């Protein structure tokens, strides 16, 4: 069935389908390995197959869906190697932005970034994995926006879904005390306008704290598998 409306309406329908399917995959409502049939999803979301197909293509680009034309389309498994690669790139993007931003940072920028750090702190206190992820991405994107580098912000946005899905499925692996200490150190370094300290805090977080969370999640999954076997 052909879509009615102009290009903007079709884009809006595609975006809505993408967002709803992405949320369902990240939350686990659509499970790894689950088959995705465009006609079933179109009926479920109350739309036509065209925006569903566009949404599935975008989800495949972001590593949440795997496709083999004329064979299957299904929810991709959580690949921890891909998660590690996404975390590494996220860190590189953010740390690179710090180098350009900190020497020229203004008072209003400091206020903006410390507010974002406070949002991370609130998520840590609430043990809110999703909220922490949103605040973390906002802080990284905040540096990119201050720098005036839209490309960094785009890459951070593309990396988000892969990391978000891992986080949602690995809540028990989070060491909130360590994550909270990171946020405190980052806020202090920003207030001090110390580029070296800010980068060092981020390096520790992305090279040690997050990899340790991924390793714990992998160990827990192995333990669950042993128990099931």
């Amino acid at each position: 069935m052909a879509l009615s409306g102009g290009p903007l309406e079709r884009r809006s329908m595609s975006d809505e389908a993408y967002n709803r399917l992405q949320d369902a995959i990240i939350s686990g409502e659509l499970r790894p390995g689950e088959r995705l049939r465009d006609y079933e999803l179109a009926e479920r979301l109350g739309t036509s197959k065209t925006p569903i197909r566009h949404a599935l293509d975008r989800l495949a680009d972001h590593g949440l869906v795997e496709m083999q034309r004329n064979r299957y389309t299904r929810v991709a498994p959580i690949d921890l190697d891909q998660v590690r690669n996404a975390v590494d790139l996220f860190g590189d993007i953010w740390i690179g932005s710090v180098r350009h931003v900190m020497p020229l940072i203004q008072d209003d920028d400091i206020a903006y970034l410390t507010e974002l750090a406070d949002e991370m702190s609130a998520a840590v206190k609430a043990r809110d994995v999703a909220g922490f992820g949103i605040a973390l991405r906002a802080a990284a994107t905040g540096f990119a926006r201050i720098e005036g580098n839209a490309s960094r912000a785009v890459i951070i946005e593309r990396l988000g879904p892969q990391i978000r899905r891992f986080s949602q499925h690995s809540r028990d692996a989070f060491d909130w005390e360590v994550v909270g200490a990171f946020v405190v150190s980052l806020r202090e370094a920003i207030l001090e306008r110390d580029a070296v300290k800010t980068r060092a805090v981020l390096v520790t977080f992305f090279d040690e704290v997050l990899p340790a969370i991924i390793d714990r999640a992998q160990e827990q999954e192995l333990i669950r598998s042993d128990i099931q076997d």
Side-chain angles (χ1 to χ4, degrees), residues 17 29 31 48 50 55 65 75 78 109 126 128 135-136 142 152 159 175 178 181 190:
E29 180 183 348
R31 299 179 302 279
S48 71
T50 300
V65 165
V75 178
I78 297 176
D109 299 327
D128 180 358
L136 185 73
R152 291 192 198 271
L159 294 171
D175 186 333
V178 173
I190 291 170

Side-chain angles (χ1 to χ4, degrees), residues 46-191:
T47 186
S48 71
K49 291 189 289 188
T50 300
I52 296 296
R53 289 168 179 164
H54 290 164
L56 291 173
D57 284 339
R58 290 172 64 189
L59 290 164
D61 287 342
H62 293 173
L64 297 182
V65 165
E66 53 185 15
M67 310 170 71
Q68 289 222 359
R69 296 293 180 186
N70 302 320
R71 291 190 60 195
Y72 62 77
T73 300
R74 62 192 180 195
V75 178
I78 297 176
D79 185 328
L80 291 185
D81 286 337
Q82 289 185 9
V83 174
R84 288 187 176 93
N85 290 339
V87 166
D88 285 344
L89 183 53
F90 191 137
D92 289 344
I93 293 296
W94 192 350
I95 291 164
S97 191
V98 168
R99 180 166 57 90
H100 295 281
V101 167
M102 294 304 286
L104 303 174
I105 202 163
Q106 303 297 311
D107 289 346
D108 57 342
D109 299 327
I110 295 291
Y112 170 53
L113 293 174
T114 51
E115 182 179 332
L116 293 175
D118 289 341
E119 291 177 7
M120 281 193 281
S121 293
V124 170
K125 290 177 182 177
R127 300 296 191 262
D128 180 358
V129 172
F132 177 75
I134 291 169
L136 185 73
R137 290 192 305 279
T141 303
F143 272 89
R145 287 176 178 164
I146 293 169
E147 182 188 357
N149 191 328
S151 296
R152 291 192 198 271
V154 169
I155 295 172
I156 290 168
E157 182 65 26
R158 286 182 63 86
L159 294 171
Q162 190 83 258
I163 298 173
R164 281 171 60 199
R165 182 162 71 134
F166 164 77
S167 300
Q168 290 285 10
H169 289 265
S170 306
R171 298 168 182 267
D172 294 342
F174 271 70
D175 186 333
W176 287 108
E177 184 175 345
V178 173
V179 173
F182 152 71
V183 177
V184 170
S185 297
L186 179 64
R187 191 181 191 282
E188 289 175 352
I190 291 170
L191 284 172

